[in-house]
Amino acid sequence: MAAPRAFLRLVAPVWNRGTCGVRGLSKAVDPEGSQRKGRTLLQFLTDRFYDVEAVREYLLRKQVLKVQKKNRFRDREWMRANERGLSSLEFRKLQEVPVEAVDASGCAINYQGLDNLLALKELQSLSLRRCPHVDDWCLSRLYQLADSLQELSLAGCPRISERGLACLHHLQNLRRLDISDLPAVSNPGLTQILVEEMLPHCEVLGADWAQGLKVGPEKQSRDAAGSPIPA
Amino acid sequence: MLRRALRLRLGPCLSGRGLGTYRGGSTLDWNGKVSEIKKKIQSIFPGGAWSPLYDTSHLPPERSDVVIVGGGVLGLSVAYWLKRLEKQRGAIRVLVVERDHTYSRASTVLSVGGIRQQFSLPENVQLSLFSAEFLRNINEYLAVVDDPPLDLQFNPSGYLLLASEEGAAIMERNVKMQRQEGAKVCLMSPEQLQKKFPWINTEGVALASYGLENEGWFDPWCLLQGLRRKLQSTGVLFCQGEVTRFISSSSHMETASGEQVTLKRIHEVHVKMDHSQEFQPVECAIVVNAAGAWSGQIAELAGVGNGLPGTMQGTKLPVEPRKRYVYLWHCPKGPGLEAPLVADPSGAYFRREGLGNNYLGGCSPAEEEEPDPGNLEVDYDFFQEKVWPRLAQRVPAFETLKVRSAWAGYYDYNTFDQNGVVGPHPLVVNMYFATGFSGHGLQQAPAVGRAVAEMVLEGHFQTINLSPFLFSRFYFGEKAQEHCIL
């Protein structure tokens, strides 16, 4: 009869609470199904039940948004969060040790998230490569790290323009600045020159300043033998 | 007759009801057609937009809940916040009346576009702080489906205000107040100033205040277009016309203390079309005066100031247009990319424009030298005599420069205390003001729009208390003086 079978399907997840969500569900409904059959069944269930879809999306999203943040403490090597997050024991030992370098490349950090980085008063190296939400407003907050910051990398951030780079003049201790591959900067060569003038002690890596210059028309060399000389 | 019309319209569709499905691939949109027909029928009924005698599509509607006079950034901001804070979607019908759809004389688009928190009144600092937050998250506030995000071209370079000996104590007090309100401003001595900006001549400078965050300049045209686009998507009606008349009714009332007052209520706004005598009377519940430099004229039309001088009835709106010049020059050895918007103690200011060593700047003239605001012609002699010497004294590199172009715009100048007028008029009970900001209207527009919308919808200010900016202060003589005017 239709009713008991439907009943079985709906109740199956509750019985299998122990097993991890989605795979357990498909197994419960079709225990002897092959791998391929299991996948299409999962797809079938995802199409029909909102909660199956939600669970699937959540698992996928958890994998994709794994934060790639790395930290380097004084006299130590880089420490990086693993899939489950950092083990708290290590960090507790390092509470007094200042953070020297942060590599937040590719991280979805934004204007409010920078609060956490700006609290690190002895930060020497900051890497914000390819961060999709770091824009000119975020750069205007970096002056708080002026005393200690020596190395900054902004390569590949899609929202940074030359207007935000103008606020970097506060960082007078900066020795290395990477501003390559900034698609929103209108004139990379000229911007590089202006930034170099703004930060005289800093080595600025970025666009080649000759980029965007065209070769002028070659001057025709006068053929002295052939051309008539006006009297 | 209606039934016949209905049958005539539906006739061909009814007979071919299955046309779409049988012909396979026809684009007969049955649901769309039905809704179109319903709209047409509704427009025939009273209250709808259909007029049987002639085309009225260019006229504003006959009825509107709120009429906003003036389509600049302040007017559009009030409309935006009315739509955002209304209790139910579509509850309030808003009409924005703008005389000039090219905005050729509007203060918004002729503005230098700066935003700062360095003011002398705490309310102004709060207004600017909120507006900075609005501009930072503009793509969340003004998002429209399927439209590209806005790029305000914001330069977060900050403002640098310089003070001489006399002004140093006031500046210190102001900065302390600004920091208490949450602005990120720092004070600099002349030595620190010289070290940070070597191109400044610090002679005569006793103290400087430098804005570190949320200060800079942006593109006002982009903000205006973004607001316009968002408002069109929320159903605000725009009309190009001039407000020529208000039809109002008066009622004599007695106050609690036994005084006789005459309260006025505006019932209709007459909007006249361009280049024609045709006008449309728009019935309205609330009128918002956001007409900028011409707010005084609109207020007079509404009867503000028609009375014996010295009474509340006789108190006019003290907002008048003042012409200000902005010059664009090129200086190859000028200040670099780090230059903020520098304001000299004498009143001259300048800022960078773009990457090519171009600079914008100007100076507010003294009271006695005010140019005639009848037109927007530029006076280059003013630059030679008043602006250039002061700038060259402050930045020696500006001794050699070449003026590229210039333009003039209006300040909606509040002659009383150079601060905005916000809120309802005490006697013309349904006219609200959002004007008189004397050169800092653009940077406070988002916050002021919210305040006026709160006043209209709730009856009191909810987020920022702008009671010092109400109209009644002109009668009581309570000045809310803003000292840091550029």
Side-chain angles (χ1 to χ4, degrees), chain B residues 193-384:
Chain B
L193 195 63
Q194 188 74 79
K195 199 164 137 247
K196 204 167 182 85
F197 302 116
W199 36 264
I200 287 191
N201 169 18
T202 54
E203 184 192 326
V205 173
L207 197 58
S209 71
Y210 183 33
L212 296 165
E213 271 186 63
N214 291 329
E215 289 198 355
W217 56 91
F218 63 97
D219 178 15
W221 182 251
C222 178
L223 177 62
L224 197 67
Q225 290 310 308
L227 277 169
R228 228 187 137 86
R229 194 182 69 174
K230 177 69 178 173
L231 288 176
Q232 276 168 340
S233 82
T234 55
V236 169
L237 302 164
F238 285 85
C239 167
Q240 187 198 344
E242 186 178 341
V243 170
T244 46
R245 205 170 164 205
F246 291 108
I247 307 284
S248 46
S249 68
S250 310
S251 53
H252 297 276
M253 318 272 271
E254 212 176 274
T255 62
S257 47
E259 250 178 70
Q260 293 280 335
V261 276
T262 314
L263 293 180
K264 232 174 170 182
R265 176 165 276 271
I266 299 177
H267 290 286
E268 265 183 23
V269 179
H270 283 197
V271 180
K272 180 178 100 72
M273 295 299 114
D274 219 13
H275 302 302
S276 117
Q277 293 296 329
E278 188 182 16
F279 71 90
Q280 167 78 306
V282 180
E283 268 184 59
C284 60
I286 292 191
V287 174
V288 176
N289 183 354
W294 301 275
S295 314
Q297 294 170 20
I298 297 291
E300 266 181 48
L301 281 179
V304 171
N306 289 353
L308 298 170
T311 58
M312 180 69 90
Q313 258 146 329
T315 316
K316 296 190 195 291
L317 179 71
V319 173
E320 57 182 47
R322 292 280 175 99
K323 189 157 93 164
R324 294 284 178 267
Y325 302 113
V326 178
Y327 304 93
L328 173 74
W329 65 87
H330 174 72
C331 175
K333 296 216 176 7
L337 204 54
E338 73 276 7
L341 197 154
V342 182
D344 195 53
S346 60
Y349 64 90
F350 76 91
R351 68 160 173 85
R352 269 189 78 104
E353 171 66 29
L355 287 174
N357 276 40
N358 293 313
Y359 303 86
L360 278 185
C363 181
S364 284
E367 269 307 320
E368 33 315 331
E369 298 163 347
E370 283 284 349
D372 169 33
N375 57 32
L376 285 179
E377 301 286 324
V378 179
D379 179 12
Y380 286 92
D381 293 331
F382 182 75
F383 182 77
Q384 298 278 36

Side-chain angles (χ1 to χ4, degrees), chain A residues 111-112 135-137 140-141 143-144 162-167 169-170 186-187 190-191 194-195 198, chain B residues 132 135-137 151 153-157 184 196-197 210 212-214 336-338 352 355-357:
Chain A
Y111 186 86
Q112 272 96 21
D135 58 1
D136 298 337
W137 293 87
S140 75
R141 297 189 80 186
Y143 69 90
Q144 298 178 43
E162 66 271 17
R163 301 175 284 275
L165 294 178
C167 331
H169 77 276
H170 292 279
S186 51
N187 196 335
L190 185 52
T191 309
L194 290 171
V195 171
M198 191 170 82
Chain B
L135 295 177
R136 189 172 70 236
N137 298 315
D151 178 16
Q153 316 255 325
F154 180 69
N155 287 60
S157 298
K184 308 277 191 293
K196 204 167 182 85
F197 302 116
Y210 183 33
L212 296 165
E213 271 186 63
N214 291 329
L337 204 54
E338 73 276 7
R352 269 189 78 104
L355 287 174
N357 276 40

